Amino acid sequence: MEQQNLKDTFPKGCIEKITGSCLVLPGDDIDTDRIIPARFLKCINFESLGEQVFADDRIEKNGSHPFDQTTNKDASILVVNENFGCGSSREHAPQALMRWGIRAIIGQSFAEIFFGNCLALGIPCMTTSASSIRAIQKEIHNQPNQVWKVDIANCLIKNISREWKVNIETGFQEMLLKGQWDTTAQLLSKKNELITTMNKLPYLNNFKSMS
Amino acid sequence: MLSGGATQIFVGLHLIHEVTSPQAFAALKELGMKVRCPDRTVATVDHIVPTTDQSRPFSDPLAEEMLLTLEKNCQNHNIKLYGLGSGNQGIVHVIAPELGLTQPGMTVVCGDSHTSTHGAFGAIAFGIGTSQVRDVLATQSLTMNKLKVRRIWIDGQLNQGVYAKDLILHIIKTLGVKGGVGYAYEFAGPAIEALSMEERMTICNMAIEGGARCGYINPDEITFDYLQGRIHSPVGSSWDKAIHWWRKLSSDLDAVYDDEIKFDASKISPTVTWGITPGQGISIEELLPYPESLEDKDKQIAEEAYKYMKLKPGSSIKDVQIDVCFIGSCTNGRLSDLEIAADIVKGNKVAKGVKAFVVPGSEKVANDAISKGLDNVFKDAGFQWREPGCSMCLAMNPDRLNGSQISASSSNRNFKGRQGSANGRTLLMSPAMVAAAAITGKVSDVRNLLTQQS
């Protein structure tokens, strides 16, 4: 299923490509406290997080933050630099990005918990070299409204004239392509293997199996 | 082995709290499922609790709603909740070890990145997101890809006035905040073996700040001594069998690592962060770095940090004026942290214009500290003595910085806005250094105060 660029349609099923415009957010080590400040974590559902993404950075930039620029308002592909999403494990961060409209992220590298949280929502985080990121940023800067395509099966990001190689581990790629990124069902299917493991763990049987 | 090559791992201990669990319970309800192992799931409340008045209902209706939701979920699913006033409530990473829940050889997860703390016991422990909390509630297991292991070997011993916090800040400053991505950090060597369990927890707690998903330390006699007699520790013949198993878990001396690095503990000085990532630290004797002297990858973030922190390259971190002093958090809110700080504070007064407060990591830490008279030491000096919680580490409660206030903080993150004000500034340091800053009103080398005392 091709992803629709509709902000209220969240990822579902097999994710093969994401088509839309790109938003550039430059900078290394952008942490999840910045993506969604802690005060917005006081909620029992994720619904209102989209409006609050980068709340403090946006206030500081007073309208000029990439998430406030009108040319970016329909963007679905986020382009970042290194170690994006470091810090707190809050899934509120990818939830906020997703609810704002982001459906794929391309960057030099991602913090692991953030990467896993995105995958669990069906949002691919794909990596590429610093030079490719610079080239992509430049293309976007020169022509903000062009249509881009992130092709997960072939590991590419492309616009009408050029394409760049992007990377994702084959296991994660397969999970996205096959629609198996929602892990609960997969884990449940291995019920018996789990019980076998549990029977072997000393701390689950009061260490009786240890002589 | 699962589709895509990930491994399914059983979770031995699932810790939950009010912030990252409500959406997971809601998802479980949608799936029409029950919690797979309620007896392997333990809850407490820490992030949103006020530290001044903890009477219910909380004055913040959102905080009250979050706690009510947790209480209801725990009741519906038969999960043990160590709630306010239970005698065992506290920061999740303080109470689980304290109760003997965290044990060697376990896999420990929690919807909180500082779950790496529990690796201090020879456990594999890491933070997870809310979708994974749902998976663990539903299946008591997770999908996981194998991590590489970097052994960080620490020779020598820490000098007087230099603590576990300085050591981990020094490691992160050296290896960088993304140096650990893809790795688990195993801390080893004579300096690590000499640390108490509480100090080891401080080290593993901040492994995540170096980008490593877990920190790990081999279990040894110090680990076993700590665990013996705790509420959830094995007893009788099970205890002996447990020790037998735990001893076998240690990594072999000739184990092969994906990477190894060595440090010398005796060369480390009190370390303080000056910037907006935990990797932007310097020793108290150093001057703030010139961005042009840094590696290319560190320049841009350094410039951003100088702008935000309103500090100047080439100046000293020593003598920077402090507005707020915070002692607490899952990094440094345990009894030994409070004892060390109290020793420095004793007989002194908090400097004029400084707000200083102590937030014990748990009700047990608070009670133990009170029985030793530490609360009065702090109060006599002009500190506020608070109720247990996460407090100003992340400001999801009333404790926060105002405007561009600058804090000396024993917590773990100095990100922009972390302590509740969009332009608030955080200097991370050891509890001893926070105590020294409180007394002098500025960043000070705690070793000078220790010399005066002796």
Side-chain angles (χ1 to χ4, degrees), chain B residues 194-277:
Chain B
L195 297 177
S196 70
M197 283 317 296
E198 298 197 347
E199 293 170 313
R200 293 178 188 187
M201 284 189 251
T202 300
I203 301 281
C204 289
N205 173 276
M206 288 192 72
I208 185 70
E209 309 311 333
R213 190 103 184 248
C214 349
Y216 171 92
I217 294 174
N218 274 331
D220 62 10
E221 298 308 316
I222 291 173
T223 320
F224 310 148
D225 285 349
Y226 177 96
L227 284 170
Q228 192 157 26
R230 298 201 177 250
I231 297 175
H232 292 277
S233 293
V235 288
S237 63
S238 297
W239 171 257
D240 299 330
K241 289 174 185 169
I243 291 201
H244 177 69
W245 185 55
W246 294 343
R247 274 190 217 287
K248 296 202 295 195
L249 299 170
S250 276
S251 19
D252 296 327
L253 278 174
D254 59 352
V256 178
Y257 293 88
D258 298 289
D259 190 39
E260 288 191 73
I261 187 157
K262 280 190 180 185
F263 288 91
D264 182 350
S266 63
K267 295 207 173 111
I268 296 170
S269 303
T271 302
V272 179
T273 65
W274 59 271
I276 53 171
T277 80

Coordinates of all heavy atoms in Angstrom, one line a residue, chain B residues 194-277:
Chain B
A194 N 36.1 -1.6 42.7 CA 36.2 -1.0 44.0 C 34.9 -0.2 44.3 O 34.7 0.3 45.4 CB 37.4 0.0 44.0
L195 N 34.0 0.0 43.3 CA 32.9 0.9 43.6 C 31.8 0.1 44.3 O 31.6 -1.1 44.2 CB 32.3 1.3 42.2 CG 33.2 2.3 41.4 CD1 32.4 2.6 40.1 CD2 33.5 3.5 42.1
S196 N 31.0 0.8 45.1 CA 29.8 0.3 45.8 C 28.7 0.1 44.7 O 28.8 0.6 43.6 CB 29.3 1.3 46.8 OG 28.8 2.4 46.2
M197 N 27.7 -0.6 45.1 CA 26.6 -0.8 44.2 C 25.9 0.5 43.8 O 25.5 0.7 42.6 CB 25.5 -1.8 44.7 CG 25.8 -3.2 44.7 SD 26.6 -3.8 43.2 CE 25.3 -3.6 42.0
E198 N 25.8 1.4 44.7 CA 25.2 2.7 44.4 C 26.0 3.5 43.4 O 25.5 4.1 42.4 CB 24.9 3.5 45.7 CG 23.9 2.7 46.6 CD 23.3 3.6 47.7 OE1 23.7 4.7 47.9 OE2 22.3 3.1 48.3
E199 N 27.4 3.4 43.5 CA 28.2 4.1 42.6 C 28.2 3.4 41.2 O 28.2 4.1 40.2 CB 29.7 4.1 43.1 CG 29.9 4.9 44.4 CD 31.2 4.7 45.0 OE1 31.6 3.5 45.2 OE2 31.8 5.7 45.4
R200 N 28.1 2.1 41.2 CA 28.0 1.3 40.0 C 26.7 1.7 39.2 O 26.7 1.8 38.0 CB 28.1 -0.2 40.2 CG 29.4 -0.7 40.7 CD 29.4 -2.2 41.0 NE 30.6 -2.6 41.7 CZ 30.9 -3.9 41.9 NH1 30.0 -4.8 41.6 NH2 32.0 -4.2 42.6
M201 N 25.7 1.9 40.0 CA 24.4 2.3 39.4 C 24.5 3.7 38.7 O 24.0 3.9 37.6 CB 23.3 2.3 40.4 CG 22.8 0.9 40.7 SD 21.3 1.0 41.8 CE 21.9 0.5 43.3
T202 N 25.3 4.6 39.3 CA 25.5 5.9 38.7 C 26.2 5.8 37.4 O 25.8 6.5 36.4 CB 26.3 6.8 39.7 OG1 25.6 6.9 40.9 CG2 26.6 8.2 39.1
I203 N 27.2 4.9 37.3 CA 27.9 4.7 36.1 C 27.0 4.1 35.0 O 26.9 4.7 33.9 CB 29.1 3.7 36.3 CG1 30.0 4.2 37.4 CG2 29.8 3.3 35.0 CD1 31.0 5.2 37.0
C204 N 26.3 3.0 35.3 CA 25.5 2.4 34.3 C 24.3 3.3 33.9 O 23.8 3.3 32.7 CB 25.0 1.0 34.8 SG 26.3 -0.2 34.9
N205 N 23.8 4.0 34.8 CA 22.7 4.9 34.6 C 22.9 5.8 33.4 O 22.1 6.1 32.6 CB 22.4 5.8 35.9 CG 21.4 6.9 35.7 OD1 21.8 8.0 35.2 ND2 20.2 6.6 36.1
M206 N 24.2 6.3 33.3 CA 24.5 7.3 32.3 C 25.1 6.7 31.0 O 25.5 7.4 30.1 CB 25.4 8.4 32.8 CG 24.5 9.3 33.8 SD 25.4 10.9 34.2 CE 25.3 11.8 32.7
A207 N 25.1 5.4 30.9 CA 25.6 4.7 29.7 C 24.8 5.2 28.5 O 25.4 5.5 27.5 CB 25.5 3.2 29.8
I208 N 23.5 5.4 28.7 CA 22.6 5.9 27.7 C 23.0 7.3 27.2 O 22.8 7.6 26.0 CB 21.1 5.8 28.1 CG1 20.2 6.2 27.0 CG2 20.9 6.7 29.3 CD1 20.1 5.2 25.9
E209 N 23.6 8.1 28.1 CA 24.0 9.4 27.7 C 25.2 9.4 26.7 O 25.5 10.3 26.0 CB 24.3 10.3 28.9 CG 23.2 10.4 30.0 CD 21.8 10.7 29.5 OE1 21.7 11.3 28.4 OE2 20.9 10.2 30.1
G210 N 25.9 8.2 26.8 CA 27.0 8.0 25.8 C 26.5 7.3 24.6 O 27.3 6.8 23.8
G211 N 25.2 7.1 24.4 CA 24.6 6.5 23.2 C 24.5 5.0 23.4 O 23.9 4.4 22.5
A212 N 25.0 4.4 24.4 CA 24.9 2.9 24.6 C 23.6 2.6 25.2 O 23.2 3.2 26.2 CB 26.1 2.4 25.5
R213 N 23.0 1.6 24.6 CA 21.6 1.2 25.1 C 21.7 0.7 26.5 O 20.8 0.9 27.4 CB 21.0 0.2 24.2 CG 19.6 -0.1 24.4 CD 18.7 0.6 23.4 NE 17.3 0.4 23.6 CZ 16.5 -0.3 22.8 NH1 17.0 -1.0 21.8 NH2 15.2 -0.4 23.1
C214 N 22.7 -0.2 26.8 CA 22.8 -0.7 28.2 C 24.2 -0.4 28.7 O 25.2 -0.3 28.0 CB 22.7 -2.2 28.3 SG 22.0 -3.1 27.0
G215 N 24.3 -0.4 30.0 CA 25.6 -0.5 30.8 C 25.6 -1.8 31.5 O 24.5 -2.3 31.7
Y216 N 26.8 -2.3 31.8 CA 26.8 -3.6 32.4 C 28.1 -3.7 33.3 O 29.1 -3.2 32.9 CB 26.8 -4.7 31.3 CG 27.1 -6.1 31.9 CD1 26.1 -7.0 32.3 CD2 28.4 -6.6 32.1 CE1 26.3 -8.2 32.8 CE2 28.7 -7.8 32.6 CZ 27.6 -8.6 33.0 OH 27.8 -9.9 33.5
I217 N 27.9 -4.3 34.4 CA 29.1 -4.6 35.3 C 28.9 -6.0 35.8 O 27.8 -6.4 36.2 CB 29.2 -3.6 36.5 CG1 29.4 -2.2 35.9 CG2 30.2 -4.0 37.5 CD1 29.4 -1.1 37.0
N218 N 30.0 -6.8 35.8 CA 29.9 -8.2 36.3 C 29.5 -8.2 37.7 O 29.9 -7.4 38.5 CB 31.3 -8.8 36.2 CG 31.6 -9.4 34.8 OD1 30.7 -9.8 34.1 ND2 32.9 -9.5 34.5
P219 N 28.6 -9.2 38.1 CA 28.2 -9.3 39.5 C 29.4 -9.9 40.3 O 30.1 -10.8 39.7 CB 27.0 -10.3 39.4 CG 27.2 -11.1 38.1 CD 27.9 -10.2 37.2
D220 N 29.5 -9.5 41.5 CA 30.6 -10.0 42.4 C 30.1 -10.0 43.8 O 28.9 -9.8 44.1 CB 31.9 -9.2 42.2 CG 31.7 -7.7 42.5 OD1 30.6 -7.3 43.1 OD2 32.6 -6.9 42.2
E221 N 31.0 -10.1 44.7 CA 30.6 -10.2 46.2 C 29.9 -8.9 46.6 O 29.0 -9.0 47.4 CB 31.9 -10.4 47.1 CG 32.6 -11.7 46.8 CD 31.7 -12.9 46.8 OE1 30.9 -13.0 47.7 OE2 31.9 -13.8 45.9
I222 N 30.3 -7.8 46.1 CA 29.7 -6.5 46.4 C 28.2 -6.5 46.0 O 27.3 -6.1 46.7 CB 30.4 -5.3 45.8 CG1 31.8 -5.2 46.5 CG2 29.7 -4.0 45.9 CD1 32.8 -4.2 45.9
T223 N 28.0 -7.1 44.8 CA 26.6 -7.3 44.3 C 25.8 -8.2 45.2 O 24.6 -7.8 45.6 CB 26.6 -7.9 42.9 OG1 27.7 -7.4 42.2 CG2 25.3 -7.7 42.2
F224 N 26.4 -9.3 45.6 CA 25.6 -10.3 46.4 C 25.4 -9.7 47.8 O 24.3 -9.9 48.4 CB 26.4 -11.6 46.5 CG 26.9 -12.1 45.2 CD1 28.0 -12.9 45.1 CD2 26.1 -11.9 44.0 CE1 28.5 -13.4 43.8 CE2 26.5 -12.4 42.8 CZ 27.7 -13.1 42.7
D225 N 26.4 -9.0 48.4 CA 26.2 -8.4 49.7 C 25.0 -7.4 49.7 O 24.2 -7.3 50.6 CB 27.5 -7.7 50.2 CG 28.5 -8.7 50.6 OD1 28.2 -9.9 50.7 OD2 29.7 -8.3 50.8
Y226 N 25.0 -6.6 48.6 CA 23.9 -5.6 48.5 C 22.5 -6.3 48.4 O 21.6 -5.9 49.1 CB 24.1 -4.8 47.2 CG 23.0 -3.8 46.9 CD1 23.1 -2.5 47.3 CD2 21.8 -4.2 46.3 CE1 22.1 -1.5 47.1 CE2 20.8 -3.2 46.0 CZ 21.0 -1.9 46.5 OH 20.0 -1.0 46.2
L227 N 22.5 -7.4 47.7 CA 21.2 -8.1 47.5 C 20.7 -8.9 48.7 O 19.4 -9.0 48.9 CB 21.2 -9.0 46.3 CG 21.2 -8.3 44.9 CD1 21.5 -9.3 43.8 CD2 19.8 -7.6 44.7
Q228 N 21.6 -9.4 49.5 CA 21.2 -10.3 50.6 C 20.2 -9.6 51.5 O 20.5 -8.5 52.0 CB 22.4 -10.8 51.3 CG 22.0 -11.9 52.3 CD 23.2 -12.8 52.6 OE1 24.4 -12.3 52.6 NE2 23.0 -14.1 52.9
G229 N 19.1 -10.3 51.8 CA 18.1 -9.8 52.7 C 17.1 -8.8 52.2 O 16.3 -8.3 53.0
R230 N 17.2 -8.4 50.9 CA 16.2 -7.5 50.4 C 14.9 -8.2 50.1 O 14.8 -9.4 50.0 CB 16.7 -6.8 49.1 CG 18.0 -6.1 49.5 CD 18.4 -5.0 48.5 NE 19.5 -4.3 49.0 CZ 19.5 -3.1 49.5 NH1 18.4 -2.4 49.5 NH2 20.6 -2.6 50.0
I231 N 13.8 -7.4 50.1 CA 12.4 -8.0 50.1 C 12.2 -9.1 49.0 O 11.7 -10.1 49.3 CB 11.4 -6.9 49.9 CG1 11.4 -5.9 51.1 CG2 10.0 -7.4 49.7 CD1 10.5 -4.7 50.9
H232 N 12.7 -8.8 47.8 CA 12.5 -9.8 46.7 C 13.7 -10.7 46.4 O 13.7 -11.4 45.4 CB 12.1 -9.1 45.4 CG 10.7 -8.5 45.6 ND1 9.5 -9.2 45.4 CD2 10.3 -7.2 45.9 CE1 8.5 -8.4 45.6 NE2 8.9 -7.2 45.9
S233 N 14.7 -10.6 47.3 CA 15.9 -11.5 47.1 C 15.6 -12.9 47.4 O 14.8 -13.1 48.4 CB 17.1 -11.0 47.9 OG 17.5 -9.7 47.4
P234 N 16.2 -13.9 46.8 CA 16.0 -15.2 47.2 C 16.5 -15.5 48.7 O 17.3 -14.7 49.1 CB 16.9 -16.1 46.2 CG 17.3 -15.1 45.2 CD 17.2 -13.7 45.7
V235 N 15.8 -16.4 49.3 CA 16.2 -16.7 50.7 C 16.6 -18.2 50.9 O 16.2 -19.0 50.0 CB 15.1 -16.4 51.7 CG1 15.0 -14.9 51.9 CG2 13.8 -17.0 51.3
G236 N 17.2 -18.5 52.0 CA 17.5 -19.9 52.3 C 18.3 -20.6 51.3 O 19.3 -20.1 50.8
S237 N 17.9 -21.9 50.9 CA 18.7 -22.6 50.0 C 18.7 -22.0 48.6 O 19.6 -22.1 47.8 CB 18.2 -24.1 49.9 OG 16.9 -24.1 49.5
S238 N 17.6 -21.3 48.3 CA 17.5 -20.6 47.0 C 18.6 -19.5 46.9 O 19.1 -19.3 45.8 CB 16.2 -19.9 46.8 OG 15.1 -20.9 46.8
W239 N 18.9 -18.9 48.0 CA 19.9 -17.9 48.0 C 21.3 -18.5 47.6 O 22.0 -17.9 46.7 CB 20.0 -17.2 49.4 CG 21.2 -16.3 49.5 CD1 22.4 -16.5 50.1 CD2 21.3 -15.0 48.9 NE1 23.2 -15.4 50.0 CE2 22.6 -14.5 49.2 CE3 20.5 -14.2 48.1 CZ2 23.1 -13.2 48.8 CZ3 21.0 -12.9 47.7 CH2 22.3 -12.5 48.1
D240 N 21.6 -19.6 48.2 CA 22.9 -20.2 47.8 C 22.9 -20.7 46.4 O 23.9 -20.5 45.7 CB 23.1 -21.5 48.7 CG 23.2 -21.1 50.2 OD1 23.6 -19.9 50.5 OD2 22.8 -21.9 51.1
K241 N 21.8 -21.2 45.9 CA 21.8 -21.6 44.5 C 21.8 -20.4 43.6 O 22.4 -20.5 42.5 CB 20.5 -22.4 44.2 CG 20.5 -23.8 44.9 CD 19.1 -24.4 44.7 CE 19.0 -25.7 45.5 NZ 17.6 -26.2 45.5
A242 N 21.2 -19.3 44.0 CA 21.2 -18.1 43.2 C 22.6 -17.6 43.0 O 23.1 -17.3 41.9 CB 20.3 -17.0 43.8
I243 N 23.4 -17.5 44.1 CA 24.8 -17.1 44.1 C 25.6 -18.0 43.2 O 26.4 -17.5 42.4 CB 25.4 -17.0 45.5 CG1 24.7 -15.9 46.3 CG2 26.9 -16.8 45.4 CD1 25.5 -15.4 47.5
H244 N 25.3 -19.2 43.3 CA 26.0 -20.2 42.4 C 25.8 -19.9 40.9 O 26.8 -19.8 40.1 CB 25.5 -21.6 42.7 CG 26.1 -22.7 41.9 ND1 27.4 -23.1 42.0 CD2 25.6 -23.5 40.9 CE1 27.7 -24.0 41.1 NE2 26.6 -24.3 40.5
W245 N 24.6 -19.6 40.6 CA 24.2 -19.2 39.2 C 24.8 -17.9 38.8 O 25.4 -17.7 37.8 CB 22.7 -19.2 39.0 CG 22.3 -19.0 37.6 CD1 22.7 -19.7 36.5 CD2 21.4 -18.0 37.1 NE1 22.2 -19.2 35.3 CE2 21.4 -18.1 35.6 CE3 20.7 -16.9 37.7 CZ2 20.6 -17.3 34.8 CZ3 19.9 -16.1 36.9 CH2 19.9 -16.3 35.5
W246 N 24.6 -16.9 39.7 CA 25.1 -15.5 39.4 C 26.6 -15.5 39.2 O 27.1 -14.7 38.3 CB 24.7 -14.6 40.6 CG 23.3 -14.4 40.8 CD1 22.3 -14.7 39.9 CD2 22.6 -13.9 41.9 NE1 21.1 -14.4 40.4 CE2 21.2 -13.9 41.7 CE3 23.0 -13.5 43.2 CZ2 20.3 -13.4 42.6 CZ3 22.1 -13.0 44.1 CH2 20.7 -13.0 43.8
R247 N 27.4 -16.2 40.0 CA 28.8 -16.2 39.8 C 29.2 -16.7 38.4 O 30.2 -16.2 37.8 CB 29.5 -17.2 40.7 CG 29.8 -16.7 42.1 CD 30.6 -17.7 42.9 NE 30.3 -17.7 44.3 CZ 30.5 -16.7 45.2 NH1 31.2 -15.7 44.8 NH2 30.2 -16.8 46.4
K248 N 28.4 -17.6 37.8 CA 28.7 -18.1 36.5 C 28.4 -17.2 35.4 O 28.8 -17.4 34.2 CB 28.0 -19.4 36.3 CG 28.3 -20.6 37.2 CD 28.0 -21.9 36.7 CE 26.5 -22.1 36.6 NZ 26.1 -23.5 36.4
L249 N 27.8 -16.1 35.7 CA 27.3 -15.1 34.7 C 28.5 -14.2 34.2 O 28.4 -13.6 33.2 CB 26.1 -14.3 35.1 CG 24.9 -15.1 35.5 CD1 23.9 -14.2 36.2 CD2 24.3 -15.7 34.3
S250 N 29.5 -14.0 35.1 CA 30.5 -13.1 34.8 C 31.2 -13.3 33.5 O 31.4 -14.5 33.1 CB 31.6 -13.2 35.9 OG 31.2 -12.4 37.0
S251 N 31.6 -12.3 32.8 CA 32.3 -12.5 31.5 C 33.7 -13.0 31.8 O 34.3 -12.6 32.8 CB 32.4 -11.2 30.7 OG 32.2 -10.0 31.6
D252 N 34.1 -13.9 31.0 CA 35.4 -14.5 31.2 C 36.5 -13.5 31.0 O 36.4 -12.5 30.2 CB 35.7 -15.7 30.2 CG 34.7 -16.8 30.4 OD1 34.3 -17.0 31.6 OD2 34.2 -17.4 29.4
L253 N 37.7 -13.7 31.7 CA 38.8 -12.8 31.6 C 39.3 -12.7 30.1 O 39.8 -11.6 29.7 CB 39.9 -13.2 32.5 CG 39.7 -12.7 34.0 CD1 40.8 -13.3 34.9 CD2 39.7 -11.2 34.1
D254 N 39.2 -13.8 29.4 CA 39.7 -13.8 28.0 C 38.6 -13.6 27.0 O 38.7 -13.9 25.8 CB 40.5 -15.1 27.7 CG 39.6 -16.3 27.9 OD1 38.4 -16.2 28.4 OD2 40.0 -17.4 27.5
A255 N 37.4 -13.1 27.5 CA 36.3 -12.8 26.5 C 36.8 -11.9 25.4 O 37.6 -11.0 25.6 CB 35.2 -12.2 27.3
V256 N 36.2 -12.0 24.3 CA 36.5 -11.2 23.1 C 35.5 -10.1 23.0 O 34.3 -10.4 23.0 CB 36.7 -12.0 21.8 CG1 37.0 -11.2 20.6 CG2 37.7 -13.1 22.0
Y257 N 35.9 -8.9 22.9 CA 35.0 -7.8 22.7 C 35.0 -7.2 21.3 O 36.0 -7.3 20.7 CB 35.3 -6.7 23.8 CG 35.0 -7.2 25.2 CD1 36.0 -7.9 25.9 CD2 33.8 -7.1 25.8 CE1 35.8 -8.4 27.2 CE2 33.5 -7.6 27.1 CZ 34.5 -8.2 27.8 OH 34.3 -8.7 29.0
D258 N 33.9 -6.5 21.0 CA 33.9 -5.8 19.7 C 34.8 -4.6 19.7 O 35.3 -4.2 18.7 CB 32.5 -5.4 19.3 CG 31.6 -6.6 19.2 OD1 31.7 -7.3 18.2 OD2 30.7 -6.8 20.1
D259 N 35.0 -4.1 20.9 CA 35.9 -2.9 21.1 C 36.3 -2.8 22.5 O 35.6 -3.3 23.4 CB 35.1 -1.6 20.7 CG 36.1 -0.5 20.6 OD1 37.2 -0.6 20.1 OD2 35.7 0.7 21.0
E260 N 37.5 -2.3 22.8 CA 38.0 -2.1 24.1 C 38.6 -0.8 24.3 O 39.3 -0.3 23.3 CB 39.0 -3.2 24.5 CG 38.3 -4.6 24.7 CD 39.3 -5.6 25.3 OE1 39.5 -5.5 26.5 OE2 39.7 -6.5 24.6
I261 N 38.5 -0.2 25.4 CA 39.1 1.1 25.7 C 39.5 1.2 27.1 O 38.8 0.6 28.0 CB 38.2 2.3 25.2 CG1 38.9 3.6 25.3 CG2 36.9 2.3 26.0 CD1 38.3 4.6 24.4
K262 N 40.6 1.9 27.4 CA 41.0 2.0 28.8 C 41.1 3.4 29.3 O 41.4 4.3 28.5 CB 42.4 1.4 28.9 CG 42.5 -0.1 29.0 CD 43.8 -0.6 29.3 CE 43.8 -2.2 29.3 NZ 45.0 -2.8 29.8
F263 N 40.8 3.5 30.6 CA 40.9 4.8 31.2 C 41.7 4.6 32.5 O 41.8 3.5 33.0 CB 39.6 5.4 31.6 CG 38.8 5.9 30.4 CD1 37.9 5.1 29.8 CD2 38.9 7.2 30.0 CE1 37.1 5.5 28.7 CE2 38.1 7.7 28.9 CZ 37.2 6.8 28.3
D264 N 42.3 5.7 33.0 CA 43.0 5.7 34.3 C 42.2 6.6 35.3 O 42.2 7.8 35.1 CB 44.4 6.1 34.2 CG 45.2 6.1 35.5 OD1 44.5 5.9 36.5 OD2 46.4 6.3 35.4
A265 N 41.6 5.9 36.3 CA 40.7 6.7 37.2 C 41.5 7.8 38.0 O 40.9 8.8 38.3 CB 40.0 5.7 38.2
S266 N 42.7 7.5 38.2 CA 43.5 8.4 39.1 C 43.8 9.8 38.3 O 44.2 10.7 39.0 CB 44.8 7.8 39.5 OG 45.6 7.5 38.4
K267 N 43.6 9.8 37.0 CA 43.8 11.0 36.3 C 42.6 11.9 36.1 O 42.6 12.9 35.4 CB 44.4 10.6 34.9 CG 45.7 9.9 34.9 CD 46.5 10.1 33.7 CE 47.9 9.6 33.8 NZ 48.1 8.4 33.0
I268 N 41.5 11.4 36.7 CA 40.2 12.2 36.5 C 40.0 13.2 37.6 O 40.2 12.9 38.8 CB 39.1 11.2 36.4 CG1 39.3 10.3 35.1 CG2 37.7 11.9 36.3 CD1 38.3 9.1 35.0
S269 N 39.6 14.4 37.2 CA 39.3 15.4 38.2 C 37.8 15.6 38.3 O 37.0 15.1 37.4 CB 39.9 16.8 37.7 OG 41.2 16.6 37.5
P270 N 37.3 16.4 39.2 CA 35.8 16.7 39.2 C 35.5 17.3 37.9 O 36.2 18.1 37.3 CB 35.7 17.8 40.3 CG 36.8 17.4 41.3 CD 38.0 16.9 40.4
T271 N 34.4 16.7 37.3 CA 34.0 17.1 35.9 C 32.6 17.7 35.9 O 31.7 17.3 36.7 CB 34.0 15.8 35.1 OG1 35.4 15.2 35.2 CG2 33.7 16.0 33.6
V272 N 32.5 18.7 35.1 CA 31.2 19.5 35.0 C 30.9 19.7 33.6 O 31.7 19.9 32.7 CB 31.5 20.9 35.7 CG1 30.2 21.8 35.6 CG2 32.0 20.8 37.1
T273 N 29.6 19.6 33.2 CA 29.2 19.9 31.9 C 29.0 21.4 31.7 O 28.5 22.1 32.7 CB 27.9 19.2 31.4 OG1 26.8 19.7 32.2 CG2 28.0 17.7 31.5
W274 N 29.3 21.9 30.6 CA 29.1 23.4 30.3 C 28.1 23.6 29.2 O 27.7 24.7 29.0 CB 30.5 24.0 30.0 CG 31.1 23.4 28.7 CD1 31.9 22.3 28.7 CD2 30.9 23.7 27.4 NE1 32.2 22.0 27.4 CE2 31.6 22.9 26.6 CE3 30.1 24.7 26.7 CZ2 31.6 22.9 25.2 CZ3 30.1 24.8 25.4 CH2 30.9 23.9 24.6
G275 N 27.8 22.6 28.4 CA 27.0 22.8 27.2 C 25.6 22.2 27.3 O 24.9 22.2 28.3
I276 N 25.1 21.7 26.1 CA 23.7 21.2 26.0 C 23.6 19.8 25.7 O 22.6 19.3 25.3 CB 23.0 22.1 25.0 CG1 23.7 22.1 23.6 CG2 22.7 23.5 25.5 CD1 22.9 22.7 22.5
T277 N 24.8 19.0 25.8 CA 24.7 17.6 25.7 C 25.6 17.1 26.9 O 26.6 17.8 27.3 CB 25.3 17.0 24.4 OG1 26.7 17.0 24.5 CG2 24.8 17.7 23.2

